[in-house]
Amino acid sequence: MNFIVTGIGAGLVSALLTVVVVKETMLAVLLAMLAPLPILIVALGWNHRSGLVATLAGGLAIAAFTTSFVSAIGFVAITGLPAWWLAYLALLGRQGADGTMEWYPTGRLLAWVAATAAITIVATGVISSGGDYSVFQGKSRQISEAFVALAFDAPEQGSEEAREALTNTLATMTPALSAFGFTFFLGLYLWLAGKIVSASGRLPRPWSPVPELAMPRIVLWAPALAFVLIQFEGFVGALGYALFGALLMAFTLQGLAVIHERTQGKPGRGLILAVLYALLFLTQGIMVTALSLFGLADTIFGLRRRFGGSRPKPPPTPSI
């Protein structure tokens, strides 16, 4: 019964973090963003069934607190199930012929983080709009108009045509931009939950170092799938854009992992990484593009194996 009790507790904490967003303060928004973390922690530390209990308990608590069935469904679909799913994958393992455990590789986990983020972003749009794509487009345009108004805070800044073109572009790219950021946070939450549970001694698998992060080549089909999806209208096309954004962040993280791995044991490593992250913050899109291409090249060509890296060959894994 232990996993049930811990699951209920984590679900109530996660639900509380979710509902504080109604305060509409910056602190409330930051707390709401942490809502998946308690579910990830109990799912990794007490097995994935505890994560399912937390998801159900949180959904019921939100339904009782807000008297809104839609809010409860939103919590389950957007916060609970993605956290449970990633924890479930992280705990997948099987015993090898030599008696050692073969755990689900972190590179495949990163690929699933990206896929889960893309699907969750589109699910958020479907739930918030009641399944009406025109409503979703209207909300995306409102966000884009607010951003453009901040960028061009004076009427004379930029022509009306330029402002309108930027607004339309941002509205179209809203799923991609949202998935780009959500992939980072999901990956961060999974890593943080793993470190917390590992420190407590409850994590059954060794937590792989960040430099070993490497997605398998099968992920290379995902950009092609995203390109096909964006040819369609409605939420199918939005899923294509979301998948593009999520993959961009995933390959960026892999690019960072390559640099972390290649600088291990090198003199001046701290300075190199500090300059890298400073450039990433200052140049943003330029460095993100460069790192994502670097990560993509690592998946295609296996840069770390070709040039003396220490990336291990991935063990046999379940087909999922």
Side-chain angles (χ1 to χ4, degrees), residues 211 255-266 269 272 294 298 303-311:
L256 284 171
V258 174
I259 295 176
H260 274 263
E261 193 276 337
R262 297 304 298 158
T263 57
Q264 282 182 337
K266 301 291 178 63
R269 181 176 189 259
I272 293 172
F294 200 26
D298 183 53
L303 297 180
R304 280 173 275 187
R305 290 197 301 269
R306 287 176 177 267
F307 298 102
S310 59
R311 186 176 91 168

Side-chain angles (χ1 to χ4, degrees), residues 40-319:
L40 279 167
I41 290 173
V42 297
L44 289 173
W46 280 265
N47 84 44
H48 71 95
R49 291 177 297 172
S50 190
L52 284 177
V53 172
T55 299
L56 179 61
L60 291 174
I62 287 180
F65 180 81
T66 65
T67 64
S68 171
F69 181 71
V70 174
S71 297
I73 292 297
F75 173 85
V76 170
I78 298 167
T79 300
L81 289 181
W84 163 79
W85 172 242
L86 294 176
Y88 170 78
L89 290 175
L91 296 180
L92 278 180
R94 62 186 181 188
Q95 198 167 31
D98 58 355
T100 60
M101 284 296 294
E102 298 171 348
W103 296 102
Y104 204 72
T106 52
R108 288 179 177 264
L109 276 177
L110 177 58
W112 274 109
V113 166
T116 302
I119 294 171
T120 303
I121 289 299
V122 176
T124 303
V126 172
I127 294 172
S128 63
S129 65
D132 188 338
Y133 185 69
S134 62
V135 174
F136 173 75
Q137 281 184 310
K139 292 182 178 181
S140 298
R141 184 169 181 82
Q142 286 178 355
I143 296 172
S144 302
E145 288 174 346
F147 179 84
V148 171
L150 288 175
F152 301 99
D153 53 1
E156 64 273 9
Q157 287 185 322
S159 66
E160 188 63 32
E161 293 79 6
R163 294 162 67 100
E164 183 66 18
L166 181 58
T167 299
N168 292 335
T169 300
L170 290 176
T172 302
M173 296 300 296
T174 294
L177 297 172
S178 300
F180 179 83
F182 193 49
T183 299
F184 171 78
F185 283 109
L186 268 186
L188 176 64
Y189 295 155
L190 179 60
W191 174 82
L192 185 59
K195 296 294 284 186
I196 292 173
V197 178
S198 179
S200 71
R202 296 195 63 92
L203 189 66
R205 64 171 290 168
W207 206 240
S208 302
V210 170
E212 295 182 7
L213 200 63
M215 291 188 289
R217 286 188 175 182
I218 193 173
V219 175
L220 299 176
W221 287 101
L225 174 62
F227 179 78
V228 172
L229 291 176
I230 64 174
Q231 308 307 314
F232 294 88
E233 299 290 335
F235 287 109
V236 176
L239 178 59
Y241 283 108
L243 190 55
F244 264 129
L247 289 170
L248 180 63
M249 173 53 76
F251 281 117
T252 299
L253 293 175
Q254 182 164 331
L256 284 171
V258 174
I259 295 176
H260 274 263
E261 193 276 337
R262 297 304 298 158
T263 57
Q264 282 182 337
K266 301 291 178 63
R269 181 176 189 259
L271 178 61
I272 293 172
L273 294 178
V275 171
L276 172 66
Y277 282 100
L279 289 174
L280 184 61
F281 176 77
L282 293 173
T283 64
Q284 298 180 4
I286 297 174
M287 280 301 296
V288 165
T289 302
L291 286 170
S292 63
L293 291 175
F294 200 26
L296 178 63
D298 183 53
T299 294
I300 296 174
F301 304 110
L303 297 180
R304 280 173 275 187
R305 290 197 301 269
R306 287 176 177 267
F307 298 102
S310 59
R311 186 176 91 168
K313 293 182 179 180
T317 57
S319 59

Side-chain angles (χ1 to χ4, degrees), residues 1-46:
M1 299 294 293
N2 194 28
F3 80 91
I4 297 179
V5 175
T6 55
I8 292 174
L12 294 178
V13 171
S14 184
L16 179 61
L17 290 172
T18 300
V19 298
V20 295
V21 76
V22 299
K23 296 291 185 180
E24 296 183 352
T25 64
M26 182 58 69
L27 178 60
V29 172
L30 292 175
L31 289 174
M33 290 175 62
L34 295 174
L37 194 55
I39 299 176
L40 279 167
I41 290 173
V42 297
L44 289 173
W46 280 265

